[in-house]
Amino acid sequence: MNPVIAVVGAGFSGSMAALHLLAALPRSWSVLLCEKGGRFGRGLAYGTQASDHLLNLRAANMSAYPDRPQHFADWLGRLPEAEASDVVATPAGTFAPRALYGRYLAELLTQAVVSEGAPRLHLVHDAVADLVPVAGGYRLRTEGGTSYAVAGAVLAMGNLTGPGAPPSRHRLDPWRPDAFGRLHPDRPVLVVGTGLTMVDAVASLRGRGFSGRIVALSRRGLVPKVHAPTRAWPVPDLAAADLASLTRLTRRIRAEIMAARQAGRDWRDVIDALRPITTYLWRSLPPREQARFLRHLRPFWDVHRHRAAPPAAAAIAAEIAAGGLEVRAGRILAITDGPSEAVVTIRPRGGGPDAALTVQGIIDATGIGRVDETGDPLLRRLVANGLARPGPFGLGLAAGDDYRLRGPQAGRLWTLGPLLRGSLWECVAVPDIRNQAAEVAALVAALVAAPLAGEVERPAPSLRQAG
Ligand SMILES: Cc1cc2nc3c(=O)[nH]c(=O)nc-3n(C[C@H](O)[C@H](O)[C@H](O)COP(=O)(O)OP(=O)(O)OC[C@H]3O[C@@H](n4cnc5c(N)ncnc54)[C@H](O)[C@@H]3O)c2cc1C
């Protein structure tokens, strides 16, 4: 059999890594793309079928390929009118349903399967359960019990979801909104988290006929800002001292926003100007300052950086104005489950008496989890066997600039996308991941083409400047 590189996970990261690998590897090599969710090219973000779940980036920024920036916008433009009816053009740009984006990615994969004379892309509809080192690579074992000999693997398992809220039998998964249809139509529901996943959850609840009260809770009660038209702003010129202290860095960015305002410009111009250097900023901060960012500043950064499409933001604003959605700042002290409801005790931020909220469901929309909290069997095995170790702050996996996993036994295993969160911070959106996919494929190809004994690592020059 031809030598094989496996890719674990067929969301955006894995799908794009697989496509770039096909181009970068010698033609005698194959790619095994493994997906446990059943649908290739969709992942968590683009698997939704709801037409009001919009991309939170403009179509112009969503090309799958770094060197063809118009690729997705052109694909959208070629769709028959009836199929593009849910695409929304706003003064801030064009926003497409995420389901359409999933279709775009699935089509790219289909083209790759079809266009190869002798198929080199093999789709495995199963969860990867383990990777065991053997001579010449790994034995990849799936949950279904099949084994494959692979020379190396790229891990593209996406965001880890962690237990953001205390356990409850009334917990609902935001990624399985079909279960929302079973809720009583007007007894209250709690959403834990107030970011973009909450925005989706509210749309899914209403879309399934839920007319009751929704309470959304997070530490600070901040909801995503809305996209607005932006113009290019120069990348701020930062001194070494600005990069050594979070306080100085924040002050410097605030000053830049003031300067933008005085020039008649929008704060979004400055936030967007930081995007190409965010990874560099993150990596420049000392670990103590990174920890301070995670503790104090992250919610503020997230709502300014990860903005909502105008129709989605308008729907949330209308919900709040009409009293259907109440956003609270605080934390959960306890959840007491009853047979059909849970009583949630909430301590409000900034003081005041604890409040008891009786809800029929708790949607955990808290976002990213840590490796040590994950129930993912593959990750747990890789860490336990020394093939991987958690990244900084337990966010994702530790990897080098060449995307290769670090760990006592790590070898020919690479990763990309949200699993690099602790190392890169800015690595969860398409514009970042598409660069990584091209880079990781080139690095894998360079390494596997080299004889095993003389493995040479090539640095990834643009890793620090992903954007
Ligand atoms: C709701 C939502 C909306 C978003 N919207 C945007 C947007 O508009 N624009 C943007 O740029 N970014 C957006 N993002 C960011 C998004 O994270 C990235 O764009 C990208 O989709 C991440 O893809 P991924 O492949 O790394 O992860 P995922 O999409 O999570 O895919 C990982 C895949 O791996 C599979 N998998 C996991 N473990 C195994 C295993 N052991 N074996 C086999 N398969 C496995 C999973 O089933 C899954 O399909 C959004 C994210 C979310 C969650």
Side-chain angles (χ1 to χ4, degrees):
M1 189 180 158
N2 290 343
V4 176
I5 294 292
V7 179
V8 185
F12 180 77
S13 301
S15 300
M16 293 316 298
L19 293 179
H20 284 291
L21 278 167
L22 287 175
L25 286 168
R27 284 203 62 80
S28 57
W29 285 66
S30 302
V31 175
L32 200 67
L33 180 58
C34 312
E35 171 55 51
K36 69 177 180 183
R39 298 175 77 203
F40 286 72
R42 306 275 173 169
L44 206 53
Y46 313 118
T48 174
Q49 290 304 311
S51 58
D52 53 357
H53 284 174
L54 298 176
L55 291 173
N56 52 48
L57 284 190
R58 301 168 177 93
N61 293 335
M62 287 294 290
S63 167
Y65 296 103
D67 55 346
R68 284 172 272 168
Q70 281 305 304
H71 195 264
F72 176 60
D74 290 348
W75 180 89
L76 263 188
R78 286 195 298 273
L79 284 181
E81 220 175 294
E83 291 172 31
S85 58
D86 295 318
V87 177
V88 192
T90 78
T94 296
F95 294 86
R98 297 208 303 269
L100 266 188
Y101 194 72
R103 185 175 139 194
Y104 163 70
L105 296 178
E107 281 186 25
L108 296 181
L109 282 177
T110 307
Q111 278 163 19
V113 174
V114 171
S115 67
E116 295 285 340
R120 292 171 59 221
L121 177 60
H122 305 280
L123 305 184
V124 174
H125 292 255
D126 203 347
V128 176
D130 205 358
L131 284 157
V132 179
V134 292
Y138 300 86
R139 178 144 300 280
L140 180 152
R141 190 173 55 77
T142 70
E143 270 177 16
T146 313
S147 283
Y148 300 88
V150 301
V154 177
L155 306 184
M157 285 107 80
N159 278 303
L160 302 178
T161 47
S168 164
R169 62 190 284 197
H170 302 293
R171 185 185 186 278
L172 293 163
D173 185 342
W175 310 115
R176 297 185 193 282
D178 285 349
F180 299 178
R182 293 199 292 273
L183 290 169
H184 188 280
D186 58 15
R187 292 202 328 250
V189 166
L190 174 67
V191 183
V192 187
T194 59
L196 288 166
T197 309
M198 177 279 289
V199 173
D200 269 10
V202 171
S204 297
L205 283 165
R206 296 302 185 220
R208 281 166 175 77
F210 178 74
S211 54
R213 177 167 160 245
I214 305 170
V215 177
L217 174 79
S218 67
R219 276 194 296 157
R220 306 225 173 228
L222 298 172
V223 296
K225 305 281 181 193
V226 62
H227 276 292
T230 50
R231 283 186 286 153
W233 181 263
V235 176
D237 191 10
L238 300 166
D242 296 328
L243 303 177
S245 143
L246 186 65
T247 309
R248 279 195 67 142
L249 185 59
T250 311
R251 219 179 273 148
R252 180 69 187 79
I253 292 168
R254 284 211 176 111
E256 195 76 14
I257 289 174
M258 288 297 289
R261 279 214 181 108
Q262 277 160 12
R265 302 286 294 276
D266 193 90
W267 58 264
R268 295 169 184 81
D269 297 348
V270 177
I271 298 295
D272 290 359
L274 293 173
R275 188 179 174 126
I277 59 162
T278 309
T279 288
Y280 169 69
L281 298 181
W282 173 251
R283 296 179 89 167
S284 301
L285 285 173
R288 186 189 66 248
E289 301 296 287
Q290 292 177 330
R292 287 182 62 215
F293 171 84
L294 293 175
R295 232 179 4 255
H296 303 297
L297 216 61
R298 184 184 154 198
F300 295 96
W301 172 254
D302 279 354
V303 295
H304 289 86
R305 162 71 185 79
H306 300 287
R307 304 192 286 268
I316 290 297
E319 282 281 353
I320 294 173
L325 170 66
E326 185 195 338
V327 178
R328 291 193 193 178
R331 66 190 170 90
I332 295 179
L333 289 186
I335 298 180
T336 310
D337 279 344
S340 61
E341 286 177 327
V343 178
V344 185
T345 310
I346 296 171
R347 174 148 303 168
R349 186 176 184 84
D354 295 347
L357 187 69
T358 303
V359 294
Q360 60 167 326
I362 300 167
I363 301 175
D364 191 343
T366 43
I368 56 173
R370 293 158 43 95
V371 168
D372 56 7
E373 296 165 342
T374 183
D376 183 287
L378 174 61
L379 274 182
R380 291 177 77 95
R381 282 194 187 105
L382 292 178
V383 172
N385 296 336
L387 297 177
R389 62 177 155 80
F393 307 102
L395 299 175
L397 297 174
D401 278 358
D402 56 357
Y403 300 96
R404 273 171 85 187
L405 293 191
R406 296 289 181 253
Q409 306 295 325
R412 290 177 167 209
L413 298 177
W414 292 261
T415 191
L416 78 163
L419 282 175
L420 288 171
R421 194 83 199 235
S423 310
L424 302 183
W425 188 253
E426 187 72 75
C427 56
V428 295
V430 161
D432 310 296
I433 299 173
R434 66 188 176 199
N435 290 333
Q436 294 174 12
E439 288 175 358
V440 84
L443 289 160
V444 172
L447 192 61
V448 295
L452 260 177
E455 289 187 352
V456 182
E457 285 183 16
R458 229 179 60 190
S462 60
L463 198 59
R464 282 168 174 267
Q465 299 284 320

